[in-house]
Amino acid sequence: MIQDKIHDIVGKLPSGVKLVAVSKFHSVPELMEAYRAGQRCFGENRPQEFAMKVPEMPSDIEWHFIGHLQTNKLKLVLPYASLVESIDSKRLLDSVNAWGKANGKVVPVLLELHLGAEETKGGFTDQEIIDILSEYVDADSAYSHVRIRGLMGMATNTDDEAVIDSDFSRIEAFKKNLDRMFPSLDGFTELSIGMSDDWQLALRHGATIIRVGTAIFGPRKV
Ligand SMILES: *Cc1c(COP(=O)(O)O)cnc(C)c1O
């Protein structure tokens, strides 16, 4: 039961940690089951699917976008997303900032750190994130219409808990380094790590957001 799964996870979360119910590939009735269990934060990773589901669900939902976002799809996502967790290129960040400017909005985002061993996984290197934040904290920063709220990362896809632990340690330490390097960085508080199989481990590494799909909704029918 979706409701029991939600209650079970939420009951184990320390206060201040947010559960994103990752509802990609699942139907609106399934999402509504989670909603009736009290879940108000949902995550989707495909712009078209995201834009279709938002108007079909109640309006008090906080939507997170967690997938690869192409710059020509911004208008499907940015009007509705409370947080874009998956900023993975400077080009995308610049486009989101430009969209915000044109639409009179400041868009909250996370920067995705390339964390897992897979080359195919997206995300920035440490140095790229440092360069972006240097620009962002500058008094004359062009980034007036994005608000960088923290980091997101996906651990290596493996059953080896030691590997996942080391991935989470790395992003946790990097986040702390950034806090030290950029003392004027305001509101850079979020660390989005942890999925169905590793969210409890993520909590031990300072996760403030966990993104859980399969453990709530069951396997995705792809
Ligand atoms: C699908 C997805 C999740 C959830 O994965 P599960 O293993 O089903 O919990 C989390 N984060 C991102 C970025 C995803 O694309």
Side-chain angles (χ1 to χ4, degrees):
M1 283 284 291
I2 290 171
Q3 307 218 8
D4 301 330
K5 304 245 170 76
I6 297 263
H7 289 149
D8 190 49
I9 296 170
V10 169
K12 291 181 178 135
L13 294 184
S15 71
V17 178
K18 172 164 280 178
L19 168 65
V20 180
V22 176
S23 48
K24 61 191 187 196
F25 295 96
H26 291 284
S27 67
V28 166
E30 290 170 289
L31 273 66
M32 277 310 297
E33 245 191 86
Y35 182 87
R36 280 192 295 272
Q39 184 62 27
R40 291 295 180 273
C41 183
F42 290 79
E44 290 282 338
N45 75 335
R46 298 184 302 172
Q48 234 91 27
E49 183 177 351
F50 179 86
M52 269 172 51
K53 279 175 176 169
V54 169
E56 295 197 30
M57 291 291 290
S59 60
D60 62 342
I61 288 175
E62 178 184 320
W63 292 97
H64 289 201
F65 192 79
I66 62 168
H68 182 62
L69 184 54
Q70 285 172 299
T71 53
N72 62 350
K73 301 276 169 62
L74 297 188
K75 63 180 184 301
L76 292 175
V77 170
L78 298 186
Y80 319 106
S82 301
L83 185 64
V84 179
E85 297 202 16
S86 43
I87 299 290
D88 56 3
S89 74
K90 185 139 190 323
R91 192 169 111 86
L92 176 59
L93 184 66
D94 292 350
S95 304
V96 171
N97 186 55
W99 184 93
K101 229 174 231 172
N103 291 276
K105 281 196 176 186
V106 176
V107 184
V109 302
L110 303 181
L111 302 179
E112 181 174 353
L113 177 69
H114 184 274
L115 191 57
E118 298 87 357
E119 286 297 324
T120 51
K121 278 212 170 100
F124 293 108
T125 63
D126 291 16
Q127 191 56 49
E128 286 170 332
I129 289 183
I130 290 168
D131 292 346
I132 286 171
L133 290 178
S134 303
E135 247 185 276
Y136 177 70
V137 297
D138 192 276
D140 301 320
S141 171
Y143 290 126
S144 51
H145 287 75
V146 286
R147 187 150 160 75
I148 303 179
R149 299 294 324 276
L151 298 179
M152 187 271 246
M154 286 175 90
T156 306
N157 188 6
T158 173
D159 292 333
D160 186 346
E161 194 164 307
V163 172
I164 299 170
D165 194 71
S166 130
D167 285 347
F168 286 165
S169 296
R170 183 161 93 73
I171 193 169
E172 182 186 25
F174 182 52
K175 167 82 173 53
K176 286 192 179 134
N177 265 334
L178 293 173
D179 293 338
R180 272 192 294 271
M181 288 175 73
F182 300 101
S184 68
L185 191 53
D186 190 36
F188 188 77
T189 50
E190 306 295 343
L191 183 59
S192 177
I193 49 172
M195 314 198 328
S196 285
D197 294 330
D198 54 25
W199 61 269
Q200 289 176 320
L201 185 56
L203 293 180
R204 281 183 251 141
H205 288 285
T208 63
I209 298 174
I210 61 169
R211 310 177 308 270
V212 180
T214 312
I216 295 172
F217 296 105
R220 292 179 277 274
K221 306 132 207 138
V222 228

